Amino acid sequence: MKESATYHIIEREEWMEFYQNSVAPLTKEELEQLKGLNDQISLRDVEDVYIPIAHLFDIYLTQYEALQEKKLRFLKKEVQKKPFIIGIAGSVAVGKSTTARLLQMMLSRVYKDKQVELITTDGFLYPNAILEERGIMDKKGFPESYDMARLITFLGDVKNGASAVKAPVYSHEVYDIVEGEYEVLDQPDILIVEGINVLQLPQNEQIYVSDFFDFSIFVDADPELIEQWYLDRFGVLLKTAFKDPTNYYYSFAIGDREEAFSMAKNVWRTVNLTNLEEFILPTRNRADLIIHKTDNHRIDRLFLRKY
């Protein structure tokens, strides 16, 4: 095992030895349904990488629940459950959503008596109308495009045990917030929060999103690989969008493919890569666990924070 100043650096072959002889708690068909577009995750990945991660969570969760109980007893307060919150960050197209959905299903099956929920921070983007009004439509995904105050209020309510807490819904088909539609969380035991911005530290904020996390993950890969995955995913989106005129990608799907991919490459270079280099990658070393990917989304290395 290699070491850095803050992380244990663990190769996949060593990581998989930490918890052996486990069978993936889902079928191949269920995994296919969970996978994001163009994500190559397999049942072997689940058994080699994600089952040990689930058991690592158990260590953190057990300590968290014990600490919460002892703290409240010290304060002579009634013991109340406070949800264990997991943050998952990383670039666009790196596979965050697949990781989040997979962990939600696995933890739901490991902890049959617990309610495990998942939200994405996409729902806390400002609606397109506001982005256009502010002249930052081309900065969608950048820190200024999120209603961070609303996201922090949401997480505070969930962490404090409020019931029926609403999260706005974002549609990737129409590329906008769905007005009047919400996801409602009712005192979950475990909440997974997935988004590119969850580990960022915006200026002039007294509370950060990451302040609510009890464990955090950063899904990492070389930018050149992520660009290829982004373009591959764009191609898959074009194949399905031409059937639906309301889909954001419809005009690209029915137009010239070369022009469409030229546009996608420009978006990657001027928006997503810039966002990655300036705002996302600088948060990587704030994560408790970094999952590093190589070709075909294969996880080759993990970095576990020492303290």
Side-chain angles (χ1 to χ4, degrees), residues 107-151:
L107 295 177
S108 295
R109 293 182 177 179
V110 170
Y111 302 108
K112 298 184 184 299
D113 60 336
K114 295 186 184 297
Q115 180 183 349
V116 184
E117 299 287 356
L118 165 65
I119 66 144
T120 73
T121 59
D122 290 344
F124 294 89
L125 284 161
Y126 286 112
N128 288 353
I130 292 179
L131 296 178
E132 290 171 354
E133 178 183 314
R134 297 182 180 182
I136 56 172
M137 191 66 183
D138 61 343
K139 297 288 187 182
K140 198 169 195 177
F142 282 60
E144 61 265 37
S145 66
Y146 288 91
D147 188 343
M148 297 302 291
R150 187 175 188 180
L151 176 56

Side-chain angles (χ1 to χ4, degrees), residues 23 121 156 182 192 196 203 299:
V23 177
T121 59
Y182 300 93
I192 299 170
I196 61 177
Q203 293 182 346
I299 296 168

Side-chain angles (χ1 to χ4, degrees), residues 150 163 169 196 238 291:
R150 187 175 188 180
S163 58
V169 172
I196 61 177
L238 292 188
I291 299 175

Side-chain angles (χ1 to χ4, degrees), residues 12 15-27 31 41-59 99 102-107 109-111 215 217 289 291 299 302:
R12 178 186 178 122
W15 179 264
M16 61 187 282
E17 296 293 326
F18 293 152
Y19 200 89
Q20 296 180 294
N21 303 320
S22 291
V23 177
L26 72 168
T27 66
L31 183 60
I41 191 169
S42 67
L43 285 178
R44 175 56 63 87
D45 294 320
V46 175
E47 294 171 357
D48 290 355
V49 178
Y50 285 96
I51 286 179
I53 289 175
H55 286 277
L56 179 65
F57 282 157
D58 188 63
I59 296 171
T99 296
L102 173 58
L103 288 175
Q104 181 190 21
M105 175 173 283
M106 291 180 66
L107 295 177
R109 293 182 177 179
V110 170
Y111 302 108
F215 194 88
I217 296 172
L289 179 69
I291 299 175
I299 296 168
L302 298 101

Side-chain angles (χ1 to χ4, degrees), residues 156-302:
D157 289 343
V158 173
K159 195 68 167 176
N160 285 295
S163 58
V165 184
K166 292 182 177 180
V169 172
Y170 182 86
S171 168
H172 288 275
E173 283 72 38
V174 299
Y175 201 60
D176 201 355
I177 300 296
V178 182
E179 186 176 356
E181 189 171 327
Y182 300 93
E183 293 182 56
V184 181
L185 300 188
D186 196 8
Q187 300 179 320
D189 299 288
I190 299 172
L191 173 63
I192 299 170
V193 181
E194 177 257 309
I196 61 177
N197 61 327
V198 297
L199 294 178
Q200 290 171 4
L201 302 177
Q203 293 182 346
N204 303 319
E205 293 285 352
Q206 294 184 341
I207 301 176
Y208 304 115
V209 172
S210 58
D211 289 340
F212 297 99
F213 296 160
D214 303 295
F215 194 88
S216 57
I217 296 172
F218 189 98
V219 184
D220 190 30
D222 292 338
E224 294 80 7
L225 285 175
I226 303 174
E227 177 183 9
Q228 186 57 56
W229 299 339
Y230 173 80
L231 294 173
D232 290 344
R233 186 178 72 176
F234 180 75
V236 174
L237 287 168
L238 292 188
K239 289 179 181 178
T240 57
F242 75 91
K243 300 176 183 178
D244 181 7
T246 66
N247 191 295
Y248 173 78
Y249 294 94
Y250 178 76
S251 61
F252 303 114
I254 63 174
D256 183 87
R257 284 300 172 96
E258 187 172 337
E259 291 182 5
F261 274 94
S262 178
M263 180 278 301
K265 290 176 183 178
N266 183 62
V267 169
W268 169 260
R269 184 178 62 257
T270 61
V271 179
N272 294 317
L273 181 59
T274 300
N275 196 13
L276 174 61
E277 292 176 339
E278 295 184 5
F279 299 107
I280 301 172
L281 276 180
T283 73
R284 178 174 54 192
N285 289 336
R286 303 192 66 241
D288 295 301
L289 179 69
I290 301 171
I291 299 175
H292 185 268
K293 293 183 173 184
T294 185
D295 296 338
N296 298 316
H297 285 266
R298 184 181 187 276
I299 296 168
D300 64 340
R301 188 176 300 121
L302 298 101

